[in-house]
Amino acid sequence: MTEPTTPAIERTLILVKPDGVRRGLTGEILRRVEAKGYTLAAVDLQHATPDQLATHYAEHEGKPFYAPLVEFMLSGPTLAVIAEGQGVIAGFRSLAGATDPTVAAPGTIRGDMARDWGLKVQQNLVHGSDSPESAEREIAIWFPGR
Ligand code: IDP
Ligand code: MG
């Protein structure tokens, strides 16, 4: 039998988007991250700028939901978080659930606490980096120098 592989210790960028901050869900979302065993390395409430969002969401430029997404992300403060732990990149995306909150599984952040309140953009409470490269790129945007 092969030994189970131990996931690498990683860090990821988590954002509690403006819908989550407005609804008072930052504590519940961070509670789930900590309960899973991940460590919070940095937490900062920020009002994102258009430049910051253009860089963060560059991969989505040109898609129909891009402009509404940026507008939504400018609509209020976002809680930016660096979380650390074994396999935290995939692990947080698993905690978050599917992008579309209507069908995200119960037990996930999006499945339990979001439905689609945006007409043109999915307001799905959280962002999580999707790869080690994305994590480092995104951490540099929200936490320069970290
Ligand atoms: P992710 O946040 O699950 O990684 P992405 O595909 O990276 O999903 O999309 C970034 C964000 O853009 C999503 O979290 C959601 O808020 C929004 N979004 C993605 N796809 C759609 C769509 O088809 N319609 C409306 N909004 C979308
Ligand atoms: Mg994404």
Side-chain angles (χ1 to χ4, degrees), residues 25-59:
L25 295 174
T26 54
E28 171 61 18
I29 290 167
L30 294 185
R31 188 196 66 73
R32 291 178 181 220
V33 172
E34 290 189 301
K36 179 83 172 174
Y38 302 131
T39 303
L40 306 179
V43 177
D44 189 31
L45 190 71
Q46 301 184 17
H47 204 128
T49 66
D51 279 355
Q52 199 176 358
L53 293 168
T55 314
H56 180 84
Y57 283 125
E59 65 174 309

Side-chain angles (χ1 to χ4, degrees), residues 12-141:
T12 195
L13 180 81
I14 296 172
L15 301 177
V16 180
K17 296 180 180 182
D19 55 339
V21 175
R22 256 193 300 273
R23 290 175 56 203
L25 295 174
T26 54
E28 171 61 18
I29 290 167
L30 294 185
R31 188 196 66 73
R32 291 178 181 220
V33 172
E34 290 189 301
K36 179 83 172 174
Y38 302 131
T39 303
L40 306 179
V43 177
D44 189 31
L45 190 71
Q46 301 184 17
H47 204 128
T49 66
D51 279 355
Q52 199 176 358
L53 293 168
T55 314
H56 180 84
Y57 283 125
E59 65 174 309
H60 296 303
E61 206 191 334
K63 295 182 185 171
F65 61 83
Y66 176 79
L69 175 61
V70 171
E71 190 185 348
F72 161 54
M73 292 296 292
L74 289 170
S75 70
T78 288
L79 193 75
V81 178
I82 304 173
E84 293 178 347
Q86 278 184 352
V88 68
I89 295 172
F92 177 73
R93 287 180 64 88
S94 181
L95 286 182
T99 303
D100 180 352
T102 299
V103 298
T108 65
I109 292 166
R110 290 163 170 170
D112 285 351
M113 296 184 281
R115 61 184 166 84
D116 207 340
W117 287 334
L119 290 175
K120 295 180 181 159
V121 63
Q122 283 161 351
Q123 299 196 11
N124 54 8
L125 296 174
V126 289
H127 166 84
S129 309
D130 63 10
S131 69
E133 297 70 34
S134 301
E136 291 312 306
R137 191 182 78 79
E138 294 170 357
I139 287 169
I141 296 167

